[in-house]
Amino acid sequence: MFQEENGYQLQGTLSKKTYTSIDEAAKACATNSACKGFTYLSAKKYELNSSSTAKAVKGKIAYIKRGKTTAYKSYYWTANSGVKGQEYLSATAFSSLAAAKQKCLANSKCGGVTENGSKYYLNKYHTIVSNSGTSVHVKGGEQIKQITVSLSYDGYTWKMKSPWQFATKLSKTKYTS
C-alpha cells in the first residue's frame, strides 16, 4: 500500500531507472526492500526513492510505501510504523488492538487506531502525521463483501472467498497422490 501525497517529491533516488506507469513503479517498489516509495515526475515517468522524506514540489506526486494490509472483522487494516493519527477522537486509551479496532468499527468518524507502546487510541478520520515510536492501523474504506465460490473440475474442488481471486488459470496438469 502506498500513501499518495500531491505536490510532494520523495528524497533519495534509488536508481537511474524510471518507470512508465504507476503500476510498474508500485510493483518494482513493493518487491525492493530498499525502496521507501516512488515519485511521479512527469508524464509516463516515475522514479523509485530510498527515503520516505518528502519535500514540497509543485506538479510532483509522492507515493510513500506503507505497511502490511490484513483483514479484521470484514475490513482491511494497514499497519504503518513511524506515524500517528493527526487527531484522536478522544483521550480514551484501550489496552488491546482488537478492542480498539472493534470500537473504531462502531464509529463512522474513526479512520484507524494509533498504537503507542501498550496503549491504543482511536484516530479521527484517516489523516496521519510522522511520529517516531508510534504506529497506525488505518481502517479501509468499505466493508469487505465476502462470497464463497466453489469450483469443481476433473474431480477436484477448490473453494475461495472474495475479494480474493485465483492468480492463474487452471492448467491441464493432473496431480495424484
Side-chain angles (χ1 to χ4, degrees), residues 6-176:
N6 286 305
Y8 286 89
Q9 180 173 358
L10 295 179
Q11 304 298 293
T13 302
L14 197 57
S15 71
K16 292 183 180 183
K17 180 176 173 134
T18 59
Y19 299 86
T20 59
S21 73
I22 189 171
D23 292 335
E24 190 179 60
K27 184 176 179 181
C29 185
T31 58
N32 184 333
S33 62
C35 183
K36 303 301 182 197
F38 60 96
T39 301
Y40 166 82
L41 301 171
S42 60
K44 295 188 177 186
K45 190 172 181 182
Y46 296 82
E47 72 175 8
L48 301 186
N49 301 104
S50 59
S51 172
S52 58
T53 302
K55 70 174 182 176
V57 179
K58 188 176 180 179
K60 308 294 184 206
I61 305 172
Y63 295 89
I64 304 167
K65 190 187 230 180
R66 292 298 182 203
K68 182 179 177 183
T69 300
T70 58
Y72 174 81
K73 299 281 184 179
S74 299
Y75 280 85
Y76 286 120
W77 297 80
T78 303
N80 302 288
S81 59
V83 292
K84 70 173 188 164
Q86 184 171 13
E87 185 179 349
Y88 295 150
L89 285 172
S90 72
T92 304
F94 296 87
S95 59
S96 75
L97 179 57
K101 283 182 176 180
Q102 189 65 39
K103 202 67 161 172
C104 183
L105 289 173
N107 189 325
S108 63
K109 292 181 180 179
C110 183
V113 176
T114 293
E115 181 179 344
N116 188 354
S118 60
K119 293 183 180 180
Y120 303 87
Y121 301 89
L122 304 184
N123 300 332
K124 190 172 186 180
Y125 306 114
H126 288 93
T127 309
I128 57 177
V129 294
S130 295
N131 188 55
S132 62
T134 60
S135 61
V136 169
H137 302 266
V138 178
K139 179 176 74 174
E142 295 184 17
Q143 184 173 7
I144 302 169
K145 293 175 178 63
Q146 293 192 352
I147 301 169
T148 302
V149 177
S150 296
L151 171 67
S152 295
Y153 175 77
D154 199 24
Y156 295 95
T157 302
W158 293 269
K159 286 188 177 185
M160 64 179 229
K161 287 186 179 181
S162 69
W164 300 284
Q165 300 175 353
F166 287 112
T168 60
K169 293 180 182 177
L170 294 174
S171 69
K172 293 187 178 188
T173 307
K174 289 187 179 181
Y175 298 95
T176 59

